[in-house]
Amino acid sequence: PYVASSTTLNTALPTWAFSGGNDSLLFRLKDKIIHEKIKAEMISSLKERKLKNFSYAKVANYPADSTLNGKDISQINVQKSRAASALNEAETILDMVEHGSASMVFFIMDEVDLQHILQYPFNMIASDASMIPFGEGVPHPRAYGTNARVLGKYVRELKVIWLEEAVRRMTSLPAQKFQLHDRGLLHEGMMADIVVFDEHTVADAASFEKPHTYARGFHYVIVNGQLVVDEGRHTGVRSGQILKGPGFSSK
């Protein structure tokens, strides 16, 4: 439920550049003719989306130089003493990819679209954020506030969907979709996964500028029948487990 996505900086390059793996990519970047072809396609893609530059792309975590975390590509380009132009910014991106790439936040979505999509009855609410060490980098706030943001902003404040519908999209709908038959509902015989929150105060506190901030309004969390969060504080209990769906294979 955000107007920005998050993935690797590699997505700014044409997909064919990665054919054959990282060694092949590095070979292509060192070839002057292929290097320029990659940049040309990056600029073409930018124009197709009616964007003037790469300022929409902000660094979440760049292991090669953590001082760039939180800065967008246009800012980094100028910092490297290059003239402000989309072509030079493409060169800056290729430099970063060559030095290990970066995790990025891309501001490329629209709030109106987001609200329309949220009203679709089979839309599930979740986050694909990885496990973020607290305080590391400037990650997408989805790692801290996805569900709280829906409950606070889109249910309570904007009334885009009903509370009960939001809860269904977070619990029983994904459990049914992924065929997790013993979860997603409060029924006898099912796993006791329970969240107790205050519908009047629940809210996300994480922002794109300060993402390492925990959500508010969650009082208790029970995972597999064990109390994991007690009055907003983690108890130290780790009672979760890996859930294997019908597509799982040990081979």
Side-chain angles (χ1 to χ4, degrees):
Y2 298 89
V3 293
S5 61
S6 182
T7 186
T8 173
L9 181 60
N10 292 354
T11 58
L13 279 63
T15 54
W16 59 261
F18 298 91
S19 178
N22 194 60
D23 289 344
S24 297
L25 169 66
L26 295 178
F27 173 82
R28 293 183 180 104
L29 292 179
K30 287 178 170 54
D31 184 291
K32 290 184 178 180
I33 295 177
I34 302 178
H35 187 101
E36 292 304 313
K37 181 180 179 182
I38 291 174
K39 282 203 302 182
E41 289 198 23
M42 291 170 66
I43 298 301
S44 177
S45 176
L46 197 67
K47 291 180 178 179
E48 285 180 5
R49 289 181 287 168
K50 299 180 180 180
L51 297 172
K52 296 181 179 179
N53 53 44
F54 292 92
S55 61
Y56 69 88
K58 182 177 289 187
V59 176
N61 187 21
Y62 183 42
D65 185 357
S66 61
T67 65
L68 301 185
N69 293 345
K71 297 180 180 179
D72 65 48
I73 294 298
S74 295
Q75 293 171 325
I76 295 171
N77 180 70
V78 172
Q79 185 174 316
K80 289 181 176 293
S81 300
R82 288 173 173 152
S85 72
L87 197 61
N88 284 339
E89 290 176 7
E91 186 65 43
T92 294
I93 291 174
L94 295 185
D95 285 348
M96 294 175 66
V97 168
E98 188 172 358
H99 288 86
S101 196
S103 174
M104 305 293 293
V105 175
F106 296 115
F107 292 86
I108 53 176
M109 293 184 284
D110 180 79
E111 177 68 23
V112 175
D113 289 342
L114 191 159
Q115 292 188 32
H116 279 304
I117 293 170
L118 195 59
Q119 294 177 66
Y120 179 63
F122 299 108
N123 171 288
M124 294 179 286
I125 298 163
S127 168
D128 67 341
S130 57
M131 304 307 295
I132 305 293
F134 190 85
E136 183 177 296
V138 190
H140 196 295
R142 67 189 183 188
Y144 291 88
T146 293
N147 295 71
R149 183 173 178 81
V150 171
L151 297 171
K153 180 176 181 178
Y154 295 104
V155 171
R156 185 178 65 247
E157 296 177 10
L158 301 180
K159 296 178 174 54
V160 175
I161 56 176
W162 294 103
L163 175 61
E164 295 84 355
E165 178 66 4
V167 171
R168 182 184 76 88
R169 307 271 196 85
M170 299 174 185
T171 56
S172 62
L173 180 60
Q176 292 162 5
K177 179 66 176 178
F178 294 107
Q179 298 184 44
L180 302 172
H181 302 295
D182 61 347
R183 299 176 187 274
L185 293 170
L186 294 177
H187 280 176
E188 183 177 353
M190 300 186 78
M191 302 303 292
D193 292 338
I194 302 171
V195 177
V196 179
F197 64 91
D198 186 340
E199 64 179 292
H200 302 294
T201 62
V202 65
D204 64 314
S207 65
F208 288 104
E209 293 72 27
K210 296 181 178 180
H212 295 285
T213 310
Y214 293 117
R216 300 187 294 265
F218 293 95
H219 298 291
Y220 303 98
V221 177
I222 299 172
V223 179
N224 290 324
Q226 297 188 51
L227 189 62
V228 173
V229 174
D230 186 4
E231 286 292 353
R233 293 181 178 275
H234 201 289
T235 64
V237 173
R238 299 184 177 184
S239 54
Q241 66 185 67
I242 296 173
L243 303 180
K244 301 179 177 68
F248 174 78
S249 173
S250 60
K251 296 180 181 180

